[in-house]
Structures are given as structure tokens and as C-alpha cells.
């Protein structure tokens, strides 16, 4: 909004909706003076004290109805709350050539951020800046406290504010049992998407894991999704991928999922889903089987080993370079957290002779300088 207002060093700015005073402080670095209006007295006082203590001396905080604005004209007006229409007093107080930036629209639906430029006494130009969602602009020329349009806002009333529980209740959809086909069918709305994200917040309970499995099964069975990517170590998850796609197993120096976060995936709900994936893939050609991938490399040791094993097969020269580059990580690969503790010590951070020698490696893996003590 500050950028859209195109503030100039000589501008006097009117801001409606002070809040914490953060946007006021930003505008004050770009303009000569900022007059900011906050309808809540406690907020206005706190913002004024904060701005003063931090040295923002060109900010004046007012406690008033922001929809009425201030008597004098302003070259720039910023309104940090959404109104049903453009408040008439703010239009009249805008200087010719000045910009007013304000969200307009029904509170319960999408608002549009508008930049209104005054071209003459009676001519205004509007430019939309996309969809936004702001708190309601309460005041004589905005919304009333109960959510209806204010008495001086003569546009027919179209909406009414509802409480947060009411809005949540109206948006809720009842869910059937996880094993009911109707459960997965509720997510057909995402069938045309290339990627469906099931949510970081779904860790922690058996119900969440069962719900994710039911949704994923439906997307794979009914809509042809071909990959499951989870927040798990890449080489560890690769063992599951080989199992569900019935690929040959590979020798490994250790069992998968022995490190953090073992609790996320070494559980019975995931085991049941993995068995379902293998059974589902059993009737599919090898190229059409759904895969299981890990997105993380918490397990540094196994991740390094997997990269080197791959390069040994396809590009031995690149494997040799990779081993050299991985050398600096070797002392920490079993427990990377020890590296964090080591760098806190002065002896580790300070080179013995105070000098570093740097050479540039023009390898296939990297064109970045590599430094050796």
C-alpha cells in the first residue's frame, strides 16, 4: 500500500488505522509528515509512545473516527481497513494529483485494493491492485459496530458481520468414517490439481494419519496420482519406495528410519498405508506404479552414501569430486548437531596461522571457490 501511494519526500500523509504504528513509521521515512488516526484510544496511545521512543518525530497520532479523515487536504491517504464503499470525506480531502489507497468490498467476501487518484475537483481515477482481506473500516462512513452499513453510508446493505464461531460453523463439512468411500470422494474437488498438499498440521494423532491415507488412496485410485512425497529422509524413504514398487532391494549399512523424526513414519498407520500401496501397484505395469519419496536429508550419513553410490554407477569421475567435497562433512555426518556445538568454540573458528588459501575448482559439480586452510 505504501508503494502504491507513491509517497514523495514533500508529502503530508494521512493514514487511517494506526494499529501498532509500524506502517506509520515506514511511511514517515518516505514522506515529510504522517498524520495517523486510530479509533481505539489505548492503541493510539501505545503507538504514539512507541513512535516517540523510537525517534519517529514526524508522526502525529490522533484518536478519532478515521472515516471522517482530517480537515486539511492530503497528497496521500492510506486506509488500513476495508470499507463497503469509498468514504466521501476522504475523497474530498484528497489533494488534486494525490493518491488514496484503500480496500473496498464486503467483509465476508473478497475485497479489492484500490488506488484512487484525484485528477480534478470532480474527476477520480481508480486502479485495482488485486484481492486482499482486511479488518472492517468502522466509522460514520464505513461499517457500523454491529456489522451493518453505517447510517451515512447510503449504499443498500448487503452483508452483516457474524461471529467467528458462526463463520466456522457455516464453513464446516461433516466427514464420514475413514473407511467410507464417501470420505475420499469429498476431495474430488482437487482431482485436477498437479500437486495436493495435505498439511504440516496433520502430524500427531492416529486420526490425522488415517485421514491423510484415505485421501491419498482416493487420489491415487480414482484420479491417477502417481507419487507420494513425505517429510522423511530421502534415502530412508527410498527403501519404502522400492518395496511399494516391487523393485530390487539394495544393500545398506543400516536400517532406515533410525534417526529423527522416527515417530512420524515408524507407526502402524503408515505401515498399513505402505502395504496398501504395494497391493495397489501389484496389478500395474512397472512404469505406472505409485512411488513413495522422502523430501528431507536429516540423515546426512545415509544421504551422502546414496549420492556417492549413484555417482559411482553413472559417473565415477564426478563421484571422486563429490567425495572430496563431502570430506569437510565427514566428521559430522553421524551426528550433525555436533558441528553446531563445535563452531561455537573460539579454537574451531580461528585458524591456527590466521590464513586461508583459496583455489577455484572448475568441476562438473560446482564452479564455486573452495577454500582450504
Amino acid at each position: 500500500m505504501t508503494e502504491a501511494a507513491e509517497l514523495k519526500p514533500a508529502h503530508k500523509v494521512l493514514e487511517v488505522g494506526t494499529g501498532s504504528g509500524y506502517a506509520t513509521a515506514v511511511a514517515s521515512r518516505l514522506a515529510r509528515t504522517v498524520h495517523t488516526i486510530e479509533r481505539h484510544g489505548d492503541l493510539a496511545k501505545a503507538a504514539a509512545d512507541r513512535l516517540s521512543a523510537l525517534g519517529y518525530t514526524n508522526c502525529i497520532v490522533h484518536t478519532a473516527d478515521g472515516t471522517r479523515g482530517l480537515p486539511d487536504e492530503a497528497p496521500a491517504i492510506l486506509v488500513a481497513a476495508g470499507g463497503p464503499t469509498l468514504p466521501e470525506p476522504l475523497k474530498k480531502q484528497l489533494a488534486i494529483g494525490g493518491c488514496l489507497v484503500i480496500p473496498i468490498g464486503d467483509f465476508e467476501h473478497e475485497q479489492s485494493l484500490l488506488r484512487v487518484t484525484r485528477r480534478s475537483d470532480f474527476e477520480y481515477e481508480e486502479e485495482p491492485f488485486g484481492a486482499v482481506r482486511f479488518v472492517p473500516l468502522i466509522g460514520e462512513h464505513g461499517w457500523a459496530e454491529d456489522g451493518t452499513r453505517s447510517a451515512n453510508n447510503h449504499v443498500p446493505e448487503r452483508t452483516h458481520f457474524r461471529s467467528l464461531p458462526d463463520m466456522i460453523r457455516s464453513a464446516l463439512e461433516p466427514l464420514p468414517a475413514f473407511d467410507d468411500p464417501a470420505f475420499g470422494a469429498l476431495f474430488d474437488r482437487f482431482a485436477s490439481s498437479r500437486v495436493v498438499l495435505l498439511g504440516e498440521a496433520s502430524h500427531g494423532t492416529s486420526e490425522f494419519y488415517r485421514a491423510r491415507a484415505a485421501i491419498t488412496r482416493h487420489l491415487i485410485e480414482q484420479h491417477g496420482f502417481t507419487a507420494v512425497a513425505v517429510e522423511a529422509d530421502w534415502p530412508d524413504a527410498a527403501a519404502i519406495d522400492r518395496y511399494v514398487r516391487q523393485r530390487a532391494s539394495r544393500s545398506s549399512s543400516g536400517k532406515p528410519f533410525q534417526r529423527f523424526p522416527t515417530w512420524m513414519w515408524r507407526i502402524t498407520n503408515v505401515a498399513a498405508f505402505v502395504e496398501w500401496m504395494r497391493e495397489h501397484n501389484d496389478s500395474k505395469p512397472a512404469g505406472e506404479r505409485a512411488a513413495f519419496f522422502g523430501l528431507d536429508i536429516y540423515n546426512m550419513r545415509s544421504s551422502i552414501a546414496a549420492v556417492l553410490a549413484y555417482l559411482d554407477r553413472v559417473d565415477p569421475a564426478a563421484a571422486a569430486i563429490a567425495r572430496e567435497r563431502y570430506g569437510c562433512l565427514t566428521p559430522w555426518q553421524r551426528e550433525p548437531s555436533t558441528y553446531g556445538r563445535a563452531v561455537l568454540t573460539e579454537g574451531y573458528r580461528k585458524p591456527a596461522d590466521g590464513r586461508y588459501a583459496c583455489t577455484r575448482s572448475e568441476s562438473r559439480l560446482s564452479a564455486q571457490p573452495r577454500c582450504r586452510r
Side-chain angles (χ1 to χ4, degrees), residues 216-231:
T216 307
R217 286 198 306 268
H218 186 81
L219 293 175
I220 291 174
E221 281 184 313
Q222 304 300 323
H223 302 295
F225 280 70
T226 57
V228 178
V230 301
E231 186 184 1

Side-chain angles (χ1 to χ4, degrees), residues 321 324-325 328 356-363 366-373:
I321 296 171
E324 179 185 355
R325 297 298 174 85
C328 62
Y356 285 89
C358 296
T359 61
R360 179 172 291 278
S361 171
E362 303 297 342
S363 74
S366 173
Q368 300 299 316
R370 56 190 172 94
C371 299
R372 295 193 298 261
R373 247 175 63 184

